[in-house]
Amino acid sequence: MGAGTFFSTLLEKGKDLFFRLAEQAAARRRVVLIAAAGLLVIILLLLILAVVTSRKARDAGNTEASAGLPESRAFLPEDFFLPYEPDFVPDVLLEREPRNGWTEEDARPFWTDPLNGNEEAWRERIESGVDAILERVP
């Protein structure tokens, strides 16, 4: 058994092993795809975590740098809040002088005659009210 036959048999065994693994992988394609998707999700989460921690570190560095600002550049509370206003209601400003009385033309848009169309209903209410009062009279 020479070196040539040894390498040729080794090559054939390697090809055979590769084809068996390929057949098994084709049969278990779902498992392989799910595992690959899980690995991608883990990688994405790690990338997001790295970005967030780098931003926090950068923000912490900015806070330390801003702590050394002179007082003239610091924000005052008055810049953020409205000034105090007293609780009072201003006087009513009328567009015209108030009237002392109403004329018939002024009252006409606001007046409806209760007897128009409901005479019987009002008559029954009035009679029942009068009857209730008279029943209590000794």
Side-chain angles (χ1 to χ4, degrees):
M1 185 177 209
T5 58
F6 174 74
F7 285 116
S8 65
T9 56
L10 186 62
L11 185 61
E12 287 177 26
K13 287 182 181 180
K15 284 182 184 177
D16 191 34
L17 179 64
F18 177 74
F19 286 125
R20 281 190 209 161
L21 288 176
E23 287 175 12
Q24 288 179 357
R28 297 179 187 172
R29 181 182 293 171
R30 274 191 185 169
V31 175
V32 172
L33 288 177
I34 291 172
L39 185 63
L40 285 175
V41 167
I42 291 172
I43 290 171
L44 286 175
L45 289 176
L46 288 175
L47 285 173
I48 291 171
L49 181 65
V51 168
V52 169
T53 55
S54 69
R55 283 187 184 171
K56 284 184 181 178
R58 192 177 331 136
D59 291 343
N62 289 341
T63 305
E64 292 172 4
S66 65
L69 288 178
E71 281 294 319
S72 63
R73 292 186 60 191
F75 291 108
L76 300 174
E78 291 83 23
D79 295 338
F80 294 106
F81 298 104
L82 294 174
Y84 174 75
E85 293 184 14
D87 285 337
F88 69 91
V89 178
D91 293 335
V92 177
L93 301 174
L94 300 175
E95 295 178 7
R96 61 182 183 187
E97 293 296 321
R99 296 183 183 180
N100 292 332
W102 289 77
T103 63
E104 186 177 331
E105 290 131 14
D106 294 336
R108 185 167 294 142
F110 305 106
W111 170 255
T112 56
D113 189 7
L115 293 179
N116 283 344
N118 293 332
E119 295 150 3
E120 280 301 315
W122 282 105
R123 187 173 310 281
E124 289 175 10
R125 275 185 84 181
I126 292 170
E127 288 176 359
S128 67
V130 170
D131 289 342
I133 292 173
L134 291 177
E135 286 177 359
R136 293 188 182 129
V137 173

